[in-house]
């Protein structure tokens, strides 16, 4: 039987007398358990989902012991997108615009990754014309530079360096001008097609791209001069958010976050696609795995992308303006829309156009997975087909979602101000996280 404990309430005057007497006596050391009680209870703080440093609608529930984080629980899903279920009710071609909205900072790269997955299912991935493959690599590397520039600018702004943000956005505007001239849109491009591309390079576009590449390298130097040896930036990022090599592998990290921890793994080298095996480039890696290493890796990746773009423009089949008339689409009327003049004059092309628009490409039964090296990491598409023009199941491996899974392990024992730097260094986009 539990015992009832009586509480005795003393007069305020007696309490004041005891307190004055206690002040006159030397303090005695308190037991460890009493010190823990004196520290008080821990506080729970909601960071996001509208906090600017969360780069979107991410909410992190932080448990704090003073300024120190003892527990972190990321909450995702505020966008409620449902792209994977949408794909199951559309033809393969109709889903291309939805891939723009995944990592919306690199829509061209998303288009290419999805198209390559469908082409692998159709068995035409090795039939792509060389000019199409080179232009796709150009699109992917421009998207990588654009995404890293925004990630760098936002990261620097998170830790107090606003000037870098203005520099990087100036260069991204030039990239958007190139993308608009190529695709007709600046943000959501929908440029890639199953079996090829929507259109060829416009006249003079290659020369404009070369001029941009020469200018953006100077911007890299300016940004590095502002950050790499900046005492405030270094103190905010060095030895903060350290991800050891084995932990990065265990959590399935990919992209710059994995390479920043010293793992030299890049799908363009490990499992080459398009014409990456014909191009020369290096894979930068870090040594510590902290925020500073991840910053340095992205800076060097942008320089390597410039190197790749120069090689593609030099080796482009047909030359910059395709004077020899190199094809950019697979020569198959059942996969790619036939030329409009043939549709208006021939019955066979008219039938192909009608079937492609209404029913989509006739994919064989089976299942495939294809992963591409996107700016955020490995963007993968798993497609399960039962035949016909729509996938039975489509699963997207979103690198931002996987990279965020390390937050419960990474954030404890850091301060709140460190969280801002860590999130900026991980460089995620909630559009593909909440796919």
């Amino acid at each position: 039987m539990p015992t009832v404990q009586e509480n005795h309430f003393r007069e305020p005057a007696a309490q004041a007398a005891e307190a004055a007497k206690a002040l006159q006596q030397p303090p005695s050391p308190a037991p460890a358990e009493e010190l823990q009680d004196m520290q008080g209870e821990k506080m729970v703080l909601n960071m996001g989902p509208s906090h600017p440093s969360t780069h979107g609608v991410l909410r992190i529930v932080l448990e704090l012991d003073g300024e120190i984080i003892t527990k972190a629980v990321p909450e995702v899903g505020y966008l409620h997108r449902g792209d994977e279920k949408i794909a199951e009710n559309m033809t393969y071609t109709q889903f291309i615009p939805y891939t723009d909205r995944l990592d919306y900072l690199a829509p061209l790269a998303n288009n290419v990754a999805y198209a390559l997955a469908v082409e692998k299912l159709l068995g035409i991935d090795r039939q792509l014309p060389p000019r199409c493959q080179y232009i796709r690599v150009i699109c992917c590397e421009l998207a990588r530079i654009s995404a890293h520039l925004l990630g760098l600018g936002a990261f620097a702004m998170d830790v107090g360096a606003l000037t870098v943000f203005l520099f990087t956005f100036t260069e991204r505007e030039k990239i958007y001008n190139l993308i608009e001239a190529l695709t007709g849109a600046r943000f959501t491009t929908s440029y890639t097609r199953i079996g090829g591309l929507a259109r060829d390079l416009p006249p003079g576009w290659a020369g404009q791209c070369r001029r941009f590449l020469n200018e953006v390298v100077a911007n890299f130097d300016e940004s590095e001069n502002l950050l790499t040896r900046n005492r405030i930036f270094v103190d905010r990022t060095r030895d903060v958010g350290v991800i050891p090599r084995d932990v990065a592998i265990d959590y399935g990290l990919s992209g710059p976050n994995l390479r920043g921890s010293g793992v030299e793994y890049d799908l363009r080298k490990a499992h080459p696609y398009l014409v990456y095996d014909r191009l020369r480039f290096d894979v930068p890696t870090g040594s510590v795995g902290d925020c500073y290493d991840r910053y340095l890796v992205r800076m060097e990746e942008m320089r390597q992308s410039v190197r790749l773009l120069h090689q593609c423009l030099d080796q482009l089949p047909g030359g910059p303006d395709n004077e020899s008339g190199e094809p950019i689409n697979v020569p198959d009327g059942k996969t790619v829309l036939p030329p409009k003049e043939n549709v208006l004059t021939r019955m066979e092309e008219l039938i192909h156009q009608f079937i492609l628009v209404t029913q989509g490409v006739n994919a064989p039964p089976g299942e495939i997975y294809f992963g591409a090296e996107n700016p955020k990491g490995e963007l993968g598409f798993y497609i399960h087909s039962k035949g016909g023009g729509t996938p039975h199941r489509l699963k997207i491996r979103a690198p931002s979602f996987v990279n965020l899974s390390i937050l419960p392990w990474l954030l404890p024992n850091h301060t709140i101000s460190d969280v801002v730097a860590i999130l900026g260094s991980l460089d995620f986009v909630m559009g593909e996280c909440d796919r």
Side-chain angles (χ1 to χ4, degrees):
M1 291 292 293
T3 59
V4 178
Q5 196 173 24
E6 294 185 0
N7 293 323
H8 299 280
F9 297 95
R10 292 166 293 174
E11 293 293 332
Q15 293 181 1
E18 289 184 6
K21 183 178 180 182
L23 287 174
Q24 297 175 358
Q25 297 176 353
S28 57
E33 56 271 12
E34 291 187 16
L35 286 175
Q36 293 178 2
D37 292 337
M38 291 172 61
Q39 290 176 358
E41 297 180 357
K42 296 177 181 177
M43 180 175 66
V44 176
L45 180 70
N46 282 289
M47 192 169 186
S50 59
H51 195 285
S53 73
T54 58
H55 295 233
V57 282
L58 170 68
R59 173 188 176 217
I60 307 178
V61 182
L62 300 174
E63 183 185 80
L64 304 174
D65 186 354
E67 277 283 323
I68 305 300
I69 298 167
T70 58
K71 185 178 180 182
V73 180
E75 295 280 353
V76 301
Y78 284 89
L79 287 180
H80 305 287
R81 310 195 77 188
D83 282 343
E84 296 168 343
K85 299 305 293 184
I86 291 174
E88 298 168 11
N89 295 278
M90 288 186 164
T91 67
Y92 291 100
T93 300
Q94 287 174 337
F95 187 64
I96 291 176
Y98 286 84
T99 62
D100 291 333
R101 279 82 175 169
L102 294 174
D103 178 5
Y104 41 75
L105 306 179
L108 285 169
N110 302 336
N111 292 166
V112 170
Y114 171 71
L116 286 170
V118 179
E119 288 156 3
K120 183 177 180 180
L121 175 66
L122 297 174
I124 62 172
D125 51 328
R126 300 191 180 277
Q127 302 176 22
L128 293 172
R131 183 175 178 86
C132 167
Q133 297 188 49
Y134 275 96
I135 294 177
R136 284 187 176 186
V137 171
I138 290 173
C139 292
C140 289
E141 297 310 315
L142 278 177
R144 192 179 317 278
I145 295 175
S146 175
H148 281 353
L149 281 173
L150 187 140
L152 171 64
F155 180 26
M157 186 172 63
D158 287 345
V159 295
L162 179 61
T163 307
V164 179
F165 183 81
L166 303 177
F167 279 1
T168 58
F169 259 64
T170 300
E171 299 306 311
R172 287 185 75 247
E173 192 67 20
K174 299 175 185 177
I175 296 178
Y176 278 155
N177 291 337
L178 290 171
I179 292 175
E180 184 180 19
L182 175 63
T183 70
R186 298 174 69 82
F187 199 62
T188 48
T189 55
S190 301
Y191 174 62
T192 311
R193 295 291 182 272
I194 309 301
L197 303 167
R199 60 185 66 82
D200 204 345
L201 299 180
W205 190 89
Q208 298 173 17
C209 186
R210 284 191 187 276
R211 285 194 296 274
F212 161 74
L213 296 178
N214 294 330
E215 294 172 2
V216 76
V217 174
N219 179 272
F220 297 158
D221 294 336
E222 291 175 342
S223 298
E224 283 199 296
N225 287 337
L226 288 170
L227 292 179
T228 304
R229 296 190 178 183
N230 183 299
R231 179 63 181 272
I232 298 174
F233 181 78
V234 172
D235 288 347
R236 290 291 306 273
T237 57
R238 182 167 286 174
D239 296 328
V240 174
V242 177
I243 305 176
R245 175 190 176 96
D246 56 338
V247 176
I249 295 173
D250 289 345
Y251 275 87
L253 302 190
S254 58
N257 296 322
L258 176 66
R259 292 188 285 273
S261 297
V263 182
E264 189 177 346
Y265 181 76
D266 189 311
L267 287 170
R268 297 171 295 174
K269 288 274 192 183
H271 304 285
Y273 52 95
L274 295 175
V275 292
Y276 279 111
D277 54 346
R278 308 179 200 174
L279 305 173
R280 299 186 305 276
F281 65 100
D282 300 321
V283 179
T285 58
S287 56
V288 180
D290 54 7
C291 296
Y292 190 70
D293 269 355
R294 292 190 280 275
Y295 151 74
L296 292 176
V297 165
R298 289 189 177 92
M299 287 299 304
E300 182 58 29
E301 281 193 6
M302 289 191 289
R303 297 185 185 278
Q304 294 300 320
S305 292
V306 170
R307 182 182 174 190
L308 285 167
L309 285 166
H310 278 300
Q311 295 177 65
C312 287
L313 293 172
D314 292 339
Q315 303 175 20
L316 191 61
D321 297 329
N322 198 12
E323 296 175 358
S324 60
E326 294 289 327
I328 59 169
N329 290 318
V330 173
D332 183 4
K334 295 182 179 180
T335 304
V336 180
L337 288 175
K340 186 61 67 177
E341 58 270 17
N342 294 345
V343 174
L344 298 175
T345 56
R346 300 180 184 178
M347 178 58 69
E348 185 177 0
E349 278 78 359
L350 177 62
I351 294 173
H352 286 164
Q353 164 116 353
F354 179 79
I355 292 176
L356 281 174
V357 171
T358 58
Q359 300 178 16
V361 294
N362 187 21
E367 54 184 339
I368 62 96
Y369 174 82
F370 178 81
E373 188 64 42
N374 257 36
K376 303 293 184 291
E378 180 180 348
L379 175 64
F381 290 91
Y382 164 80
I383 302 175
H384 179 212
S385 169
K386 289 189 175 182
T390 60
H392 174 64
R393 289 288 183 268
L394 187 142
K395 169 69 176 175
I396 302 172
R397 185 206 183 273
S400 292
F401 179 79
V402 180
N403 292 343
L404 284 177
S405 67
I406 201 172
L407 288 182
W409 181 92
L410 183 59
L411 294 184
N413 298 321
H414 287 88
T415 63
I416 298 177
S417 60
D418 290 336
V419 176
V420 180
I422 291 171
L423 294 180
S425 73
L426 292 178
D427 188 24
F428 53 90
V429 166
M430 296 306 295
E432 70 175 10
C433 182
D434 292 345
R435 68 214 174 282

